Amino acid sequence: MNFIETRGNDGQRPASITFAQAILSPMSSFGGIYSPESLPIFDEVFIKSHIDSDYKTVAKSILSLFEVDIDEAIIDKALSLYDHFDDPKQPVPLVKVYDDLYVSELFHGPTRAFKDMALQPFGSVLSAIAEQRNEKYLILAATSGDTGPAALDTFKDQTNVQVACLYPDGGTSDVQRLQMVTEDAKNLKVIGIHGDFDDAQSALKMLLTSPAFEASLKEHNISLSAANSVNFGRIIFQTIYHVYSYLDLVRQEAIALGDKVYLNVPSGNFGNALGGYYAYKMGLPVKQIHIASNNNNVLTKFINTGEYDLRDASVIPTIAPAMDILKSSNIERILFDLFGAERTKELMLKLDSDKFYKLTPEELAQVQSIFAADFCTDEEGLDYIKQAFSVGYLMCPHTATCFKAYDTCRKDKTIKTIAYATAEWTKFSPVISYALTGKTVEKDIDALQMIADNANVAMPAQIAGLFDKPIAQPIVINKVDIEKEILNFLA
C-alpha cells in the first residue's frame, strides 16, 4: 500500500511512497503529512475469523491488509512487545462499567498510558529499519504528557536512533514529568519549554520542515523523523485496538457479530479518534464516533459548527492536561479523506494564516454523519470520577470526559458504547484523590498511596520507583533555543 500527501504534491517529492518511507520521513509537501492512498476493507468474514484471535494475531492480520513493506521478522519482534504488558494474553482489557458502556483500557503497558499501544511496536519497527539500512535517525517528539514517556521508553538504548523530546513545563502531571526527566540513556534528550503543548508541537513541525535544520543534521549523517501522530506509523497501530475491542465485546456476548457500536474517544491531537475512523472506514460496524474534549473544546465546536477557530483561543489548563491542545494534527487526515488534497491544503493554510477556517454546510453534514462531540468541564469530570468509583470503576480525568459524551451524544440508547481509557489512575493521582475524598493532597506520592488504600489496588512498581530516581534531564528553555539545544545534544 502506498501513501500520498494530504496537501498535494509540490513536484519536488515522489507522488507516493511506501509505509517504511512514510514512517522514516513523515512530513510532506506544503507542510502536509502522509495518508493511505486507499484503505483496505475487511468484511464480516474477516471479523468473524478473528473472534477467538489474540491481540498479536489481530494486529498482524490488519498490518497484512495494509501490505506494509516491513520484513515479517521485524513485525513479529515488534508485536512481541505486547507480551510485556500486564497480561500478555489480554493487553487491552475491555471492562463493563454500565450495561451499555464498556471501557477499553489502553494503559497496561510500561508507561501506563495508551501511547504504549502504538509506540512500543512503532519504536521497534523504526529502530530495526534504521539499523537494517545502516542509517542514523533523530526522532523528534512533542508531548502533552503521554507520548514523551512512551517514546523515550521504546527508543532508549536503541542503536542508530537518538530522541529529542519536548514537553511544556508545568503542563504535565508530576508523574508524567518524572517519567521523562529521570530517563538517563545516552541517546535521549528531554527538553522542557516555557509554553504549552501547541508551542511544543509547532516547534516540532517547524524543525521537521526546516531545510537549515536538515542541513545541520546531515553534517552528522543523521536523518529526521518523528514519534508524534503526524507519523502514520503511530496511527496504523492505533487502528488495531478499536477492532480488537469490538471483537472482545462480541466475545463477552454484549453484542452479536455485525451489531453497530458507538466509539467514544477522549481527544486532543485526534490520533486515537483517527484510528477509530479508519477502522470504521475499513468495515468495523460503527454507528458513530463520539469525540470527548475538556475545556479546550475546539474540536467540539468544529464538529458541531464546522468552524475551526483559534483566533481568540489560548490553552486552558485543566485536570486532563494531556488534552490541553488546540491544534489537532490529525484533523488534517480526516479533511483529506473526506474532501481531498486541494481542499485540505486550502483549509490548513488558512488555519496557519488566519487561525480560522469554516466548512461548507455540505462538508459539515459529512463530518456530522460520522462524528458527534461534547466537552467536559473540570467540575463535571470530578463528578464522573466519583460516580464511576461508586460502582467500582477507577479512572483518570481524561477517561472521565468520555462519560460526558456518553451522556449527551448517544441518539440510540440501545447501542453499546466502547469508551477508551487513555491513562492509568497513577498518572493523575492528586486529581483523582480530590474527586474521591474532597481533600487536597500536596504530594503525588501521598495521593497515590491514598488511592491505593481506598481502592484496594496496588501501585505499579514502575510508578512507585519514580520518586527515588535522580533527575537526569532538568533543562527548561525558551522556544527559540530548542534547535540550538538539540544540535548541542547531537554534537
Side-chain angles (χ1 to χ4, degrees):
M1 175 172 292
N2 287 330
F3 290 77
I4 54 178
E5 300 166 288
T6 54
R7 303 185 191 182
N9 184 261
D10 61 6
Q12 306 299 312
R13 302 170 187 260
S16 65
I17 61 175
T18 68
F19 176 73
Q21 291 170 319
I23 67 174
L24 291 174
S25 300
M27 300 302 290
S28 66
S29 300
F30 309 113
I33 49 183
Y34 286 101
S35 280
E37 189 169 24
S38 61
L39 288 169
I41 300 296
F42 48 71
D43 54 17
E44 189 172 311
V45 174
F46 175 89
I47 298 175
K48 187 175 182 179
S49 70
H50 287 294
I51 287 295
D52 296 317
S53 295
D54 62 20
Y55 192 87
K56 291 186 294 184
T57 301
V58 174
K60 191 169 182 180
S61 293
I62 291 175
L63 293 173
S64 296
L65 289 177
F66 275 95
E67 299 176 344
V68 297
D69 57 326
I70 308 294
D71 291 347
E72 185 175 4
I74 292 176
I75 294 293
D76 289 340
K77 181 181 178 182
L79 296 179
S80 73
L81 295 173
Y82 292 125
D83 293 338
H84 301 294
F85 282 47
D86 291 346
D87 182 353
K89 295 181 180 179
Q90 185 70 305
V92 185
L94 185 72
V95 180
K96 181 180 178 180
V97 179
Y98 302 130
D99 285 344
D100 58 352
L101 175 64
Y102 289 71
V103 175
S104 177
E105 295 186 341
L106 305 176
F107 54 74
H108 289 275
T111 71
R112 321 311 295 173
F114 81 107
K115 300 298 175 69
D116 289 327
M117 294 302 304
L119 278 167
Q120 283 290 302
F122 167 75
S124 178
V125 168
L126 195 153
S127 300
I129 296 173
E131 186 173 5
Q132 193 177 60
R133 297 186 178 197
N134 195 28
E135 297 173 347
K136 295 180 180 179
Y137 278 85
L138 171 67
I139 311 298
L140 295 180
T143 185
S144 57
D146 287 329
T147 290
L152 296 168
D153 183 86
T154 194
F155 285 116
K156 65 183 175 185
D157 297 320
Q158 295 279 11
T159 58
N160 296 63
V161 171
Q162 293 171 279
V163 179
C165 177
L166 311 176
Y167 75 94
D169 184 43
T172 70
S173 75
D174 282 350
V175 165
Q176 290 171 318
R177 181 183 60 83
L178 286 172
Q179 286 179 312
M180 292 183 281
V181 301
T182 58
E183 286 285 9
D184 59 1
K186 292 182 179 179
N187 69 323
L188 306 179
K189 181 68 175 179
V190 179
I191 303 171
I193 66 165
H194 299 299
D196 54 39
F197 171 75
D198 283 355
D199 294 319
Q201 181 167 253
S202 296
L204 176 141
K205 288 184 175 180
M206 181 190 72
L207 292 175
L208 286 171
T209 56
S210 167
F213 186 62
E214 183 179 8
S216 297
L217 294 183
K218 284 185 177 179
E219 294 178 7
H220 300 281
N221 295 314
I222 294 174
S223 299
L224 187 60
S225 189
N228 279 63
S229 57
V230 294
N231 195 316
F232 196 84
R234 278 272 305 276
I235 301 302
I236 197 170
F237 288 107
Q238 289 183 267
T239 302
I240 295 162
Y241 50 69
H242 295 285
V243 179
Y244 185 79
S245 296
Y246 180 89
L247 292 168
D248 208 357
L249 203 58
V250 175
R251 282 192 291 269
Q252 294 186 31
E253 299 182 349
I255 60 171
L257 186 66
D259 287 352
K260 291 188 176 183
V261 297
Y262 290 124
L263 304 183
N264 186 328
V265 189
S267 298
N269 220 14
F270 216 75
N272 199 354
L274 179 68
Y277 172 80
Y278 283 146
Y280 154 74
K281 291 294 293 284
M282 291 166 66
L284 194 69
V286 173
K287 177 68 173 179
Q288 197 173 44
I289 301 172
H290 296 159
I291 303 304
S293 298
N294 59 19
N295 274 332
N296 297 285
N297 58 347
V298 173
L299 289 172
T300 304
K301 293 176 181 176
F302 169 68
I303 291 168
N304 289 337
T305 69
E307 295 184 356
Y308 208 108
D309 191 355
L310 303 180
R311 288 173 296 188
D312 297 314
S314 57
V315 172
I316 303 168
T318 73
I319 63 171
M323 296 161 61
D324 291 350
I325 297 170
L326 298 178
K327 198 170 183 180
S328 301
S329 292
N330 284 293
I331 288 293
E332 180 163 346
R333 288 188 169 112
I334 298 292
L335 298 176
F336 171 74
D337 192 72
L338 292 176
F339 312 131
E342 183 177 348
R343 179 61 168 156
T344 301
K345 178 184 175 185
E346 177 187 356
L347 292 172
M348 294 308 299
L349 293 182
K350 187 172 177 59
L351 186 63
D352 289 339
S353 62
D354 301 343
K355 296 187 176 183
F356 174 85
Y357 65 73
K358 184 174 182 178
L359 301 182
T360 67
E362 294 77 17
E363 290 168 342
L364 177 59
Q366 284 185 261
V367 169
Q368 291 179 341
S369 70
I370 304 162
F371 298 100
D374 203 351
F375 73 99
C376 180
T377 67
D378 282 355
E379 292 75 17
E380 290 171 328
L382 293 169
D383 286 341
Y384 281 119
I385 291 170
K386 190 172 184 177
Q387 289 172 27
F389 189 69
S390 71
V391 296
Y393 192 70
L394 182 61
M395 65 181 177
C396 87
H398 304 80
T399 310
T401 65
C402 290
F403 282 60
K404 173 68 177 296
Y406 161 78
D407 278 344
T408 63
C409 292
R410 293 173 300 148
K411 293 180 180 177
D412 185 342
K413 297 190 178 182
T414 67
I415 294 176
K416 297 290 194 293
T417 293
I418 301 174
Y420 293 88
T422 56
E424 188 181 60
W425 62 272
T426 55
K427 307 292 281 282
F428 306 95
S429 56
V431 170
I432 297 169
S433 65
Y434 179 77
L436 300 184
T437 68
K439 297 178 181 178
T440 300
V441 180
E442 295 296 333
K443 295 182 179 180
D444 276 36
I445 189 65
D446 294 335
L448 285 162
Q449 194 59 57
M450 180 184 293
I451 297 168
D453 292 342
N454 286 346
N456 194 27
V457 294
M459 193 189 315
Q462 58 264 60
I463 298 296
L466 284 173
F467 297 90
D468 296 322
K469 293 178 70 174
I471 303 299
Q473 311 252 16
I475 189 168
V476 179
I477 61 176
N478 293 318
K479 293 178 290 182
V480 295
D481 297 321
I482 291 172
E483 182 173 345
K484 178 182 177 181
E485 190 66 33
I486 293 174
L487 292 175
N488 288 339
F489 161 61
L490 297 177

